[in-house]
Amino acid sequence: KSDLMANMSHELRTPLNAIIGFSQSMQEETFGPVGSAKNSEYLNDIHQSGQHLLELINDILDASAIEAGALELQEENINLTDVVDAAVRLVKPRAVVGQVRVTASLDPEIPLIFADRRRLMQVMLNLLSNAVKFTPEDGEVYVGARLNDDGSLAVTVDDNGIGMDAKEIEKAMSQFGQVDSGLDRKHEGTGLGLPLTKGLIDLHGGTLEIKSKKDNGTLITVTFPKERVIRTV
């Protein structure tokens, strides 16, 4: 299964890229007017649905690639604050719709880390999206970072959302596990967010820890080992 999914990347992404690219060209009326307002509305739906489906497929393919040992990191020295700020900006629209406040406070003296920028962004987006998704109106999501005494670097995402008990945490960490998994569940997704995030952190030699209490929020801590923390001389 893992080998099959890892090899399906091209076949799955190619038609979706065509749907997304051609619908965008039509939205911009590159080759002529679209016509009625209803056509424009349908084009927006096609484009957004294509992007959403591509995101879901990318998650499935990434999870399978990690399982098959086929995902390689493209590592460089990264400013963590830049990545966190960018991730916060990307989730802000969803947070505004859900009336959830998202804030980040990182010490400007936090060292650089040696990591894969794209995968680190993926980790932060997964954690922030989950936190916003499961936090009710007027709730808060807070991102912080600290340098530990042993030289490792910890990034935390803290929310005052619906929280999870021990059984739900175990389910959330299993591939395709959905804590809110009934037919009438309120939240969309594949259930790959946390397992995929843990897989990406494992590839960096780090750890992911979840502390949560039902109806009392969740604190997720991602820790990068000291070997990845770039000390200034």
Side-chain angles (χ1 to χ4, degrees):
K1 177 206 67 179
S2 296
D3 289 341
L4 171 66
M5 292 305 298
N7 291 328
M8 283 292 286
S9 174
H10 177 72
E11 286 77 4
L12 288 170
R13 286 191 176 110
T14 299
L16 270 175
N17 285 333
I19 291 168
I20 293 169
F22 293 154
S23 62
Q24 184 173 5
S25 293
M26 295 175 72
Q27 280 179 318
E28 296 169 355
E29 299 187 333
T30 304
F31 302 106
V34 171
S36 70
K38 203 64 181 176
N39 283 343
S40 294
E41 182 184 333
Y42 287 157
L43 271 176
N44 289 334
D45 290 342
I46 291 168
H47 188 70
Q48 291 173 9
S49 297
Q51 286 183 315
H52 179 60
L53 185 55
L54 183 59
E55 289 172 4
L56 297 181
I57 288 174
N58 284 340
D59 279 354
I60 295 171
L61 292 171
D62 283 343
S64 298
I66 290 173
E67 198 174 56
L71 196 150
E72 296 182 2
L73 300 177
Q74 306 296 319
E75 298 157 312
E76 59 181 309
N77 291 343
I78 295 171
N79 186 319
L80 182 63
T81 303
D82 291 345
V83 174
V84 170
D85 287 347
V88 169
R89 283 196 301 272
L90 287 173
V91 300
K92 270 289 174 67
R94 173 179 281 190
V96 169
V97 170
Q99 298 182 40
V100 176
R101 291 181 295 280
V102 181
T103 56
S105 178
L106 275 68
D107 188 333
E109 299 301 318
I110 284 286
L112 301 177
I113 58 172
F114 186 63
D116 186 316
R117 181 182 298 273
R118 176 171 168 253
R119 299 305 179 181
L120 183 54
M121 174 66 81
Q122 198 172 356
V123 164
M124 293 310 305
L125 284 174
N126 281 343
L127 294 180
L128 285 171
S129 295
N130 262 2
V132 169
K133 186 191 300 183
F134 294 107
T135 298
E137 290 183 4
D138 295 324
E140 294 186 61
V141 176
Y142 175 78
V143 186
R146 66 177 184 272
L147 194 61
N148 295 323
D149 292 338
D150 63 0
S152 62
L153 181 64
V155 183
T156 57
V157 177
D158 193 7
D159 69 67
N160 60 353
I162 62 175
M164 297 178 284
D165 57 29
K167 187 175 181 181
E168 288 173 333
I169 291 175
E170 183 180 357
K171 187 171 185 179
M173 291 304 299
S174 64
Q175 283 196 0
F176 304 103
Q178 280 278 2
V179 173
D180 180 22
S181 59
L183 291 176
D184 59 344
R185 67 187 180 90
K186 300 176 183 178
H187 306 291
E188 62 184 19
T190 57
L192 279 174
L194 284 177
L196 178 54
T197 298
K198 185 179 185 307
L200 292 173
I201 294 301
D202 287 346
L203 283 176
H204 284 85
T207 60
L208 184 148
E209 179 187 17
I210 301 176
K211 292 182 179 178
S212 188
K213 188 175 181 181
K214 195 70 174 173
D215 301 320
N216 201 29
T218 300
L219 171 65
I220 297 183
T221 304
V222 168
T223 304
F224 294 92
K226 64 180 180 180
E227 293 79 14
R228 290 193 172 272
V229 180
I230 310 301
R231 292 286 192 172
T232 54
V233 178

